[in-house]
Amino acid sequence: MNAYETWFCGTRLWRWLTRRQLLPWIMQGSELGEHVLEVGAGMGAASEELSRLAGRVTSLEYDHAFAAKLAARVNGSKSAAIQADAAALPFADKTFSSAIAILMLHHLRSNEQQDRAFAEIWRVLRPGGVFLAFEIQDGWTHRIGHIKSTFVPLAPASVFARLTAAGFSKVTVDFRSGGFRIRALRAREL
């Protein structure tokens, strides 16, 4: 993330928007279950709210400094924060009841890394688990906001095929001003 993203994602405004507007919309019609994987926690804007909504939250962050700060903040709660790569998750198969990624997928360095992350998220979800994400579309304003930062936008039209290829079912994409929501299920085993 660049300096602007780091600053903005650490503001009270972003935490409030995430808690009061994004999370309710992203989670609409979905149950998180008892153990949520938060992929790309960043500065932790969603972490505390997720811990109120679920029995347990594991927040994953690629940046070591962000992960260490978040771990210190959630220490002693029903949450944990670790440093790891979303394309190579350090968890056993079928560990989590749900996974959520807010404005993280476009920070992966390639479409191939995004696809590996989708496969990894599918692997660590339990049958019946839900994957929820919020992303922004490609556009010049977002490209300017990501100068000196990784920005590989996820094309909404590609989401169904890419998540289905990773094993997900019932993939949906919904739009609203500012971005789009992804919802996908790991099918229950017969």
Side-chain angles (χ1 to χ4, degrees):
M1 290 186 0
N2 62 30
Y4 169 74
E5 292 173 285
T6 300
W7 168 79
F8 182 73
C9 291
T11 64
R12 286 179 151 171
L13 173 62
W14 178 243
R15 283 192 304 276
W16 184 86
L17 288 169
T18 300
R19 187 176 61 247
R20 297 291 180 214
Q21 293 186 10
L22 279 182
L23 279 175
W25 182 63
I26 294 167
M27 296 182 336
Q28 186 176 19
S30 299
E31 294 293 325
L32 295 177
E34 78 286 347
H35 193 181
V36 178
L37 172 62
E38 179 186 19
V39 186
M43 306 295 283
S47 304
E48 291 174 35
E49 185 67 13
L50 288 171
S51 71
R52 284 191 275 278
L53 299 170
R56 186 171 162 207
V57 177
T58 299
S59 298
L60 177 109
E61 174 52 43
Y62 184 78
D63 183 274
H64 179 74
F66 290 171
K69 287 178 187 174
L70 185 56
R73 220 172 70 219
V74 300
N75 188 22
S77 68
K78 58 184 179 175
S79 301
I82 64 163
Q83 190 277 323
D85 184 348
L89 295 174
F91 307 111
D93 296 357
K94 304 176 186 176
T95 299
F96 299 96
S97 56
S98 61
I100 191 165
I102 299 174
L103 296 175
M104 181 283 292
L105 297 168
H106 67 264
H107 283 288
L108 295 172
R109 296 190 182 278
S110 66
N111 288 325
E112 293 76 24
Q113 272 197 319
Q114 291 170 350
D115 290 340
R116 281 197 300 277
F118 295 148
E120 282 290 279
I121 291 166
W122 182 88
R123 180 184 65 78
V124 301
L125 277 177
R126 295 179 195 142
V130 64
F131 170 51
L132 303 165
F134 177 76
E135 276 298 318
I136 51 177
Q137 295 190 62
D138 195 3
W140 69 270
T141 55
H142 293 134
R143 290 199 176 267
I144 289 171
H146 287 85
I147 290 174
K148 295 185 179 180
S149 178
T150 301
F151 185 61
V152 181
L154 184 64
S158 73
V159 169
F160 180 83
R162 293 172 73 186
L163 286 174
T164 301
F168 287 99
S169 63
K170 297 185 180 179
V171 178
T172 59
V173 177
D174 300 296
F175 297 87
R176 74 183 274 181
S177 176
F180 61 96
R181 166 182 69 182
I182 300 166
R183 183 178 189 273
L185 295 178
R186 176 173 174 162
R188 295 189 187 278
E189 296 173 347
L190 302 175

